Amino acid sequence: MSEGDRRAALAAWITHPDNPLTRRVIVNRMWHHHFGRGIVETPSDFGFGGARPTHPELLDWLAGQLLANAWSLKSLHRMMVTSQAYRQHSYPGALSDDAVNKGAVNPWDIDADNRWLWRMNPRRLDAESLRDTVLSITGKLNPHMFGPGYRDFTYQEAYAPIYTYITPNSPDMWRRSIYRFVVRSTPHRFMTTLDCPNPANLTPRRLQTTTALQSLAMLNNDFMLKQAEYLAKRISTEVGDESSGQVERAFQLVFARRPTADEHAASLKLIDETGLFQFCRMLLNANEFVYID
């Protein structure tokens, strides 16, 4: 058997309808990225050394749907994000007195870790998505697709090459993060602070931490400061200098909703005291923007 025949036989075995493992792994990774945790918590280990699936029937059903839809990942994405499980709140609230009197069980007492998906798990945007979302909101995202990636660093030839990162402040460096040239030997400080994994290692599950450095980076990094300035300019251009209109437009852009009465009053006070730039800077650091909930 030739090398080409062996490769074809391997591909046929991997995708054969009687082999559910490939489809299970695919749908589990997609579930992991949408829900923050896979049905199997060890996405790279489906063997006896890995974790057991919390919902084995659901895993098999989704694997069957992938096959039934001709391996369409888009249809599977749509199915997950329109599901009732995905559209839940992260904190459904306390039980009413009436429910408690009727003997209702508080799910926080029996499944605080949410293994049974009775609520949504709030999770922070990953570093790349956060960067791209900021660019989209400020109107600076470059939608150009394909072709060579961009380099947000300078390069100095030496015995060991020296890479120095620069603030991405031009359209060619405002493309989506998937096109960013990654230097394995010199991780990007801002992205690393936001838990972007080490590019020299395989990372099936990213760490998600909450540190003071992340808040400081979001507030003071040159990229974030520049984008807050661009957001302020965009709002001023679109609605003028009237503060109330600026608040409404800012909330629509950053949070995709209108401000409450209290938020509106507090925002007007902040703009009056510190200016539109500082207001935009604070919005880009709000939990509602940084977290998926």
Side-chain angles (χ1 to χ4, degrees):
M1 181 182 291
S2 67
E3 180 67 23
D5 291 338
R6 285 195 291 269
R7 292 179 179 178
L10 176 61
W13 174 80
I14 289 174
T15 59
H16 196 279
D18 293 337
N19 175 23
L21 182 59
T22 304
R23 289 176 276 122
R24 287 173 180 164
V25 171
I26 291 174
V27 300
N28 187 67
R29 286 183 179 272
M30 292 177 64
W31 188 275
H32 165 79
H33 286 295
H34 283 305
F35 288 85
R37 180 171 56 197
I39 298 173
V40 177
E41 290 192 57
T42 52
S44 291
D45 189 354
F46 270 55
F48 289 109
R52 301 294 90 190
T54 55
H55 301 72
E57 296 87 356
L58 174 61
L59 181 64
D60 284 340
W61 184 82
L62 289 171
Q65 290 299 303
L66 182 61
L67 183 63
N69 288 284
W71 296 80
S72 170
L73 298 183
K74 182 178 290 186
S75 67
L76 199 60
H77 281 298
R78 183 183 297 110
M79 186 182 303
M80 289 183 184
V81 299
T82 57
S83 67
Q84 183 178 353
Y86 185 83
R87 289 182 291 168
Q88 295 182 103
H89 293 291
S90 64
Y91 190 82
L95 295 175
S96 66
D97 292 337
D98 184 56
V100 172
N101 293 334
K102 292 181 179 179
V105 178
N106 188 347
W108 289 97
D109 295 334
I110 60 176
D111 186 26
D113 198 37
N114 194 32
R115 288 176 55 82
W116 309 118
L117 303 174
W118 59 275
R119 61 182 174 86
M120 172 57 79
N121 290 314
R123 53 196 175 86
R124 196 178 64 246
L125 284 170
D126 60 60
E128 297 92 334
S129 299
L130 180 61
R131 175 191 176 277
D132 294 353
T133 303
V134 169
L135 288 170
S136 177
I137 286 172
T138 61
K140 296 300 181 181
L141 183 65
N142 182 349
H144 177 70
M145 299 177 64
F146 313 117
Y150 63 89
R151 303 188 177 196
D152 56 354
F153 56 83
T154 59
Y155 172 83
Q156 181 180 345
E157 189 66 62
Y159 176 76
I162 300 173
Y163 299 91
T164 304
Y165 286 100
I166 58 178
T167 302
N169 198 33
S170 59
D172 61 307
M173 289 190 285
W174 288 335
R175 298 176 67 195
R176 290 165 54 210
S177 297
I178 194 173
Y179 297 108
R180 186 172 68 87
F181 191 98
V182 176
V183 181
R184 293 187 178 184
S185 61
T186 311
H188 194 290
R189 287 187 179 181
F190 178 63
M191 303 291 278
T192 301
T193 301
L194 299 178
D195 293 331
C196 189
N198 188 332
N201 301 324
L202 294 176
T203 310
R205 291 182 61 190
R206 294 190 179 199
L207 293 176
Q208 189 174 95
T209 62
T210 302
T211 67
L213 284 177
Q214 292 164 354
S215 296
L216 291 171
M218 291 289 290
L219 278 170
N220 301 306
N221 179 265
D222 287 342
F223 168 75
M224 294 299 298
L225 292 175
K226 279 289 185 183
Q227 294 305 312
E229 182 180 324
Y230 290 134
L231 178 57
K233 290 181 179 178
R234 176 181 181 179
I235 293 171
S236 295
T237 300
E238 292 181 355
V239 301
D241 297 327
E242 200 271 315
S243 297
S244 181
Q246 291 177 342
V247 171
E248 290 281 344
R249 184 56 177 154
F251 268 74
Q252 290 172 355
L253 289 172
V254 180
F255 301 143
R257 65 174 178 84
R258 299 188 63 184
T260 64
D262 290 342
E263 289 171 337
H264 196 279
S267 299
L268 289 176
K269 182 179 179 181
L270 181 60
I271 293 176
D272 182 60
E273 293 178 352
T274 64
L276 182 59
F277 163 75
Q278 292 294 347
F279 171 63
C280 292
R281 185 185 178 197
M282 293 302 106
L283 288 186
L284 293 178
N285 285 272
N287 281 345
E288 185 174 346
F289 173 68
V290 177
Y291 282 82
I292 302 172
D293 190 355

